[in-house]
Amino acid sequence: MDIQEYKGIFVFVQQVDNKIASVSFELLGKAKELAKDMETEVTAVLLGYNVSGLCNDLARYGADKIIMVDNKALEVYATEPYTHSMCKIIEKYKPAVVLYGATAIGRDLAPRISARVKTGLTADCTKLEIADDGTKNLRMTRPAFGGNIMATILCPEHRPQMATVRPGVMQKIKPIEGATAPVDKFDIEIGPDHQNVEVLEVIKKVSNKMDIQDAKILVSGGRGMGCPENFKLLQDLADALGGTVSSSRACVDAGWVEKDIQVGQTGKTVRPNLYIACGISGAIQHLAGMEESDVIIAINKDESAPIFEVADYGIVGDVTKILPIFTEEVKKAMAARNNA
Amino acid sequence: MDFVLSKEHEMARTLYREFAENEIKPLAQELDEQERFPTETVEKLRKYGFLGIPFPKEYGGQGCDTLSYAMCIEEVAKVCGTTSVVISGHTSLGAAPILKYGTPEQIQKYFVPLAKGEKLGAFALTEPNAGTDASMQQTKAVLEGDHYVLNGSKIFITNAGYADTYVIIAMTDKSKGTKGISAFIVEKDFPGFSVGKKEKKMGIRGSSTCELIFENCIVPKENLLGKEGKGFNLAMNTLDGGRIGIAAQALGLAEGAFEETVKYVKERKQFGKPIAKFQNTQFQLADMATKIKAAQLLVYRAAMAKDTQKVYSEEAAMAKLFAAEVAMEVTTKAVQLHGGYGYTREYPVERMMRDAKITEIYEGTSEVQRMVISSHELR
Ligand SMILES: Cc1cc2nc3c(=O)[nH]c(=O)nc-3n(C[C@H](O)[C@H](O)[C@H](O)COP(=O)(O)OP(=O)(O)OC[C@H]3O[C@@H](n4cnc5c(N)ncnc54)[C@H](O)[C@@H]3O)c2cc1C
Ligand SMILES: Cc1cc2nc3c(=O)[nH]c(=O)nc-3n(C[C@H](O)[C@H](O)[C@H](O)COP(=O)(O)OP(=O)(O)OC[C@H]3O[C@@H](n4cnc5c(N)ncnc54)[C@H](O)[C@@H]3O)c2cc1C
């Protein structure tokens, strides 16, 4: 392989129901920075059905070029037709870098592609930069061993260099109004050979029954919530953040909530990116189940509550007063982020 | 030195034994199976004065000494671990500190009904983050005018939910560490006080062990027990006394299991003769009996020390440590000598083995007893 032949940064654009995932815009933003250091261009790769309407948005968020595959077989995400299409694109356009969001789709797709094109893939990166040693290799940094060490990984001899990137880590650019980008329509034949799996139905469920162990964001309530009705406040914040509600044992014992959302020694051990402990004192049996969370925010009216010893951020005050304000601010911030 | 019990002690023991055999033993298995608190037995204990044995007559007690009290726990534990801990939780932990540290008013109002058995007592020190390290108290008591406001929780409290009067340890001034800890008398109906879930336990399953919850619980200022800041000493002193009760409980469990085993090995035949005829059985029984007697001497010595000496913490710690470990060993061997039958719930020895384990843990783990003993020896 002549790695010199491979040029440009490609971003796989994730769309579901013709709506582009936020992480794809974040990746375009990051790709733009990288492109500057590599002296190259950013190409958005858009797969789907009837998706041409999305092209302008991609341009506004930093795509210099767009490769679009519009095909009925790509209407709903499925591993095989998407992998096949991406491989064809890589074969034809020879990108130096391909980035994917580390979403359920990105994590499914990227390893398939890397195995087929025989190149390296770094999963779940939190930092990307271009080596300044003349090679212009992509330095991909990701947390390893459960976040205990940061590993910086290179793919020096194979192309494209591929990475999935954690949603929320990279910054979108401020949209360039009126920007356009040339769209290269690429027809790919997707035959029965590429569709061994048929999607019968996609069920969209409001994920309030999500297993708390899978949740990235947990909004957790303790006895300090005062009554089961106040769990609504937690749900509101969880909805605003796209998180899930969990609880201490005290609330399970009191019959406020089901046992399956109890965090702790005799409940579930969780390790979300964000754990918000509301009205939880921080008994050792509770801490045992959540202290490995990446970021812990505690809200408690008692400033000497042990939960503050493990919290990264703490608010001393009445949780029933703080939560509604918190939720409002989160909603505002989220809205700003989505419109940015 | 006289190793013969006085006539009074002998008589008292006969009374305790008969009561235990007739009134407590028939219920023991049922209480364990159903994890049921022995409400009806407590009523009888009250009637016969079993809830105030070591307390002065003028306060409604029986006017007996600590040794009699220990013998009562011992006899009851022989047949039912659950009932023995209901008595000792009430007597040594719930009532004793009020007599020792209470004002005359507190004694009249709270202690007398406890000594008479009209009310049941409990003692709450342990918290989720403060077990062995009892100084890590998180429950707070803040003085506001004529009352204290308590906030926090306690776990593993014996007699919780059934007790009327609780001695609660709480922090009045965190900056002073153990010197900022105080004790309070809390009635079961005080606003802001509630009892949480009952723990599901391995043994002593009929006794109630629950969480206590204080949410802005209002405690009148006059319910401060002892001086502000002296709560840690009060708790440690109370536990010294309580340990004699637990040591006696452990002793009783070992004796009960031993008696059952002696009976069983004489009856059960294998290889054409009772298993008591095998030398292994005999030697096991010899070891068990010897250890039980050694434990008994330590327990009685600690009880006597409490009645005659000012300081008895080391004696109490030694008695609890040794008796608890003997109870564990003897009950385990008792199950072994019963063979497969010992593992079934038809026979009481498996229950005794489960009950024995807690004596190595509560009122200070065996490790704590070793700390207490070594600190005295190294002084
Ligand atoms: C065998 C055993 C196993 C256990 N396993 C677990 C387990 O798996 N998980 C678990 O969570 N616990 C477990 N526990 C229980 C644990 O010991 C604690 O009792 C429990 O975690 C306490 O829950 P909490 O923090 O919600 O309540 P509390 O300890 O009562 O704390 C409530 C907190 O809320 C604060 N507060 C009150 N009102 C307000 C307000 N208006 N605004 C803000 N703050 C307020 C208070 O200051 C306090 O800090 C176990 C206990 C035992 C005995
Ligand atoms: C059935 C039951 C009834 C109870 N009743 C009451 C009651 O009525 N009132 C009350 O206040 N409490 C009560 N308790 C609480 C009991 O006293 C505590 O459980 C006990 O003191 C041990 O504390 P912990 O469980 O927090 O164990 P931990 O303190 O967490 O100890 C765990 C282990 O570590 C060891 N350990 C801890 N520190 C050290 C050290 N420095 N060196 C060496 N080893 C150490 C301990 O010995 C133990 O083996 C009860 C408990 C039970 C289970």
Side-chain angles (χ1 to χ4, degrees):
Chain A
M1 148 177 308
D2 177 6
I3 66 173
Q4 298 307 331
E5 280 181 32
Y6 289 76
K7 297 218 161 56
I9 302 180
F10 281 28
V11 170
F12 167 75
V13 176
Q14 178 178 325
Q15 60 77 24
V16 174
D17 293 340
N18 285 8
K19 204 174 169 302
I20 296 171
S22 180
V23 64
S24 300
F25 293 130
E26 293 163 19
L27 289 182
L28 287 172
K30 183 68 197 178
K32 221 164 166 58
E33 273 175 38
L34 298 174
K36 214 168 172 191
D37 294 343
M38 278 177 93
E39 293 159 20
T40 180
E41 289 181 316
V42 177
T43 304
V45 182
L46 177 61
L47 311 186
Y49 185 52
N50 287 337
V51 284
S52 53
L54 303 176
C55 290
N56 281 345
D57 267 349
L58 297 173
R60 285 169 63 229
Y61 279 95
D64 300 312
K65 285 188 196 157
I66 297 168
I67 298 171
M68 179 173 74
V69 186
D70 212 298
N71 190 317
K72 177 86 176 117
L74 299 174
E75 185 168 14
V76 176
Y77 174 79
T79 312
E80 291 175 284
Y82 270 69
T83 306
H84 173 68
S85 306
M86 283 302 288
C87 290
K88 286 278 173 220
I89 290 168
I90 289 169
E91 203 178 291
K92 176 169 175 200
Y93 294 91
K94 296 191 175 6
V97 171
V98 185
L99 304 177
Y100 309 78
T103 58
I105 288 177
R107 286 173 195 223
D108 179 70
L109 179 64
R112 288 293 189 118
I113 297 167
S114 79
R116 285 207 194 166
V117 306
K118 300 197 172 56
T119 189
L121 169 70
T122 306
D124 227 9
C125 294
T126 53
K127 190 172 157 193
L128 296 174
E129 58 200 349
I130 301 301
D132 55 9
D133 56 3
T135 62
K136 302 219 162 143
N137 280 333
L138 181 65
R139 291 167 54 87
M140 301 171 274
T141 302
R142 59 155 301 177
F145 294 106
N148 290 322
I149 63 166
M150 297 302 281
T152 299
I153 296 167
L154 297 176
C155 175
E157 280 152 26
H158 290 79
R159 290 294 181 265
Q161 308 163 83
M162 305 214 304
T164 65
V165 180
R166 267 198 203 182
V169 179
M170 306 304 174
Q171 300 287 319
K172 291 176 202 171
I173 61 164
K174 210 166 154 8
I176 310 160
E177 288 317 322
T180 55
V183 179
D184 189 348
K185 274 200 186 156
F186 185 28
D187 279 334
I188 295 172
E189 206 176 315
I190 301 173
D193 275 2
H194 307 117
Q195 297 182 78
N196 289 306
V197 175
E198 189 188 348
V199 177
L200 296 180
E201 196 185 354
V202 177
I203 298 171
K204 297 225 174 71
K205 177 161 99 174
V206 187
S207 62
N208 53 1
K209 260 291 163 196
M210 180 181 198
D211 187 337
I212 59 168
Q213 282 179 303
D214 296 334
K216 295 267 171 270
I217 297 177
L218 282 175
V219 181
S220 202
R223 188 146 48 213
M225 295 307 297
C227 60
E229 291 70 38
N230 282 345
F231 267 63
K232 174 84 175 57
L233 301 175
L234 301 174
Q235 192 61 55
D236 290 346
L237 178 57
D239 289 347
L241 285 166
T244 304
V245 172
S246 60
S247 160
S248 74
R249 195 183 82 156
C251 308
V252 178
D253 289 352
W256 299 355
V257 296
E258 294 295 319
K259 169 89 182 167
D260 63 350
I261 63 164
Q262 179 190 323
V263 171
Q265 217 159 45
T266 51
K268 289 179 178 163
T269 301
V270 297
R271 213 198 153 134
N273 302 135
L274 175 61
Y275 189 89
I276 307 181
C278 307
I280 293 177
S281 61
I284 197 87
Q285 296 86 358
H286 187 80
L287 300 186
M290 47 62 75
E291 64 190 344
E292 297 284 290
S293 304
D294 294 346
V295 174
I296 298 170
I297 301 179
I299 308 175
N300 195 304
K301 65 176 185 186
D302 174 5
E303 79 283 354
S304 66
I307 190 75
F308 288 122
E309 283 162 31
V310 299
D312 299 281
Y313 303 96
I315 306 172
V316 176
D318 186 338
V319 68
T320 55
K321 299 213 175 80
I322 290 165
L323 274 175
I325 305 169
F326 195 166
T327 306
E328 265 327 295
E329 289 300 318
V330 167
K331 280 187 188 157
K332 273 190 223 157
M334 286 300 207
R337 187 162 153 189
N338 289 332
N339 300 329
Chain B
M1 186 177 278
D2 192 353
F3 283 107
V4 182
L5 286 178
S6 71
K7 225 189 167 92
E8 291 75 31
H9 283 122
E10 285 291 8
M11 276 167 55
R13 183 196 284 287
T14 311
L15 169 73
Y16 302 143
R17 178 171 298 162
E18 281 173 2
F19 183 84
E21 279 292 325
N22 299 332
E23 307 292 340
I24 296 174
K25 191 173 180 182
L27 270 181
Q29 190 187 357
E30 180 192 322
L31 296 177
D32 180 69
E33 292 271 344
Q34 300 176 359
E35 306 198 25
R36 181 168 77 71
F37 188 81
T39 318
E40 68 273 51
T41 311
V42 171
E43 186 47 38
K44 289 177 194 157
L45 293 170
R46 182 191 65 74
K47 207 159 124 197
Y48 295 107
F50 279 41
L51 295 173
I53 294 170
F55 301 132
K57 283 202 163 116
E58 72 249 46
Y59 294 131
Q62 297 301 310
C64 301
D65 58 6
T66 309
L67 180 56
S68 306
Y69 166 63
M71 288 193 319
C72 172
I73 301 287
E74 179 187 352
E75 290 302 328
V76 173
K78 271 189 201 174
V79 299
C80 179
T82 282
T83 309
S84 74
V85 73
V86 174
I87 303 175
S88 73
H90 162 84
T91 312
S92 330
L93 299 185
I98 304 184
L99 175 63
K100 177 149 189 191
Y101 297 94
T103 60
E105 295 75 32
Q106 288 172 337
I107 290 178
Q108 281 311 322
K109 182 167 179 192
Y110 292 112
F111 178 73
V112 170
L114 289 171
K116 287 185 179 160
E118 293 164 1
K119 295 265 166 83
L120 199 65
F123 172 82
L125 170 68
T126 306
E127 296 184 4
N129 290 354
T132 299
D133 186 0
S135 66
M136 290 301 289
Q137 294 290 313
Q138 194 66 35
T139 299
K140 276 192 186 170
V142 179
L143 185 60
E144 286 181 8
D146 64 348
H147 60 265
Y148 285 90
V149 180
L150 264 62
N151 273 296
S153 66
K154 297 281 167 184
I155 49 166
F156 294 142
I157 304 311
T158 300
N159 289 348
Y162 295 89
D164 308 277
T165 308
Y166 296 81
V167 174
I168 307 293
I169 308 296
M171 202 52 116
T172 37
D173 186 349
K174 196 160 180 93
S175 66
K176 292 192 182 143
T178 55
K179 294 202 166 62
I181 294 173
S182 306
F184 299 88
I185 305 172
V186 170
E187 295 177 31
K188 69 169 193 291
D189 299 322
F190 278 0
F193 173 59
S194 60
V195 175
K197 203 189 83 166
K198 187 169 157 179
E199 300 301 339
K200 295 199 178 84
K201 305 188 297 289
M202 173 201 247
I204 56 164
R205 287 168 46 169
S207 83
S208 165
T209 311
C210 314
E211 186 183 19
L212 304 183
I213 303 152
F214 303 92
E215 282 168 313
N216 294 323
C217 172
I218 307 292
V219 179
K221 199 174 163 186
E222 63 270 19
N223 278 28
L224 174 72
L225 181 61
K227 294 208 175 63
E228 209 176 270
K230 295 281 184 200
F232 196 70
N233 288 349
L234 176 149
M236 293 305 119
N237 188 283
T238 303
L239 289 177
D240 282 345
R243 280 168 194 162
I244 300 174
I246 302 307
Q249 181 197 359
L251 173 62
L253 284 166
E255 289 173 318
F258 183 75
E259 283 175 18
E260 292 292 336
T261 307
V262 168
K263 206 165 67 189
Y264 186 79
V265 297
K266 286 182 185 163
E267 284 164 11
R268 171 74 174 166
K269 287 200 177 82
Q270 285 293 284
F271 299 97
K273 50 186 171 183
I275 53 173
K277 294 285 181 210
F278 301 124
Q279 198 171 44
N280 177 62
T281 310
Q282 296 162 358
F283 284 9
Q284 296 288 343
L285 291 175
D287 288 350
M288 289 156 83
T290 307
K291 286 186 178 158
I292 288 170
K293 283 289 176 264
Q296 192 178 47
L297 285 175
L298 274 177
V299 175
Y300 288 7
R301 181 168 173 267
M304 303 282 284
K306 180 165 194 289
D307 287 333
T308 54
Q309 290 169 209
K310 278 213 190 73
V311 197
Y312 59 94
S313 1
E314 188 181 12
E315 282 83 355
M318 284 179 167
K320 179 178 183 285
L321 169 64
F322 190 72
E325 292 190 346
V326 167
M328 210 47 227
E329 187 184 330
V330 168
T331 54
T332 309
K333 285 188 170 163
V335 171
Q336 185 67 20
L337 289 172
H338 275 73
Y341 301 89
Y343 197 67
T344 69
R345 303 211 295 264
E346 291 293 312
Y347 287 85
V349 286
E350 63 81 30
R351 167 166 51 82
M352 292 167 168
M353 179 175 161
R354 285 186 284 110
D355 287 357
K357 183 64 209 177
I358 188 61
T359 65
E360 292 185 322
I361 296 171
Y362 61 10
E363 299 199 24
T365 60
S366 289
E367 292 72 30
V368 167
Q369 310 313 325
R370 290 188 167 91
M371 290 181 209
V372 171
I373 296 163
S374 57
S375 75
H376 278 83
E377 295 300 330
L378 292 170
R379 206 159 38 192

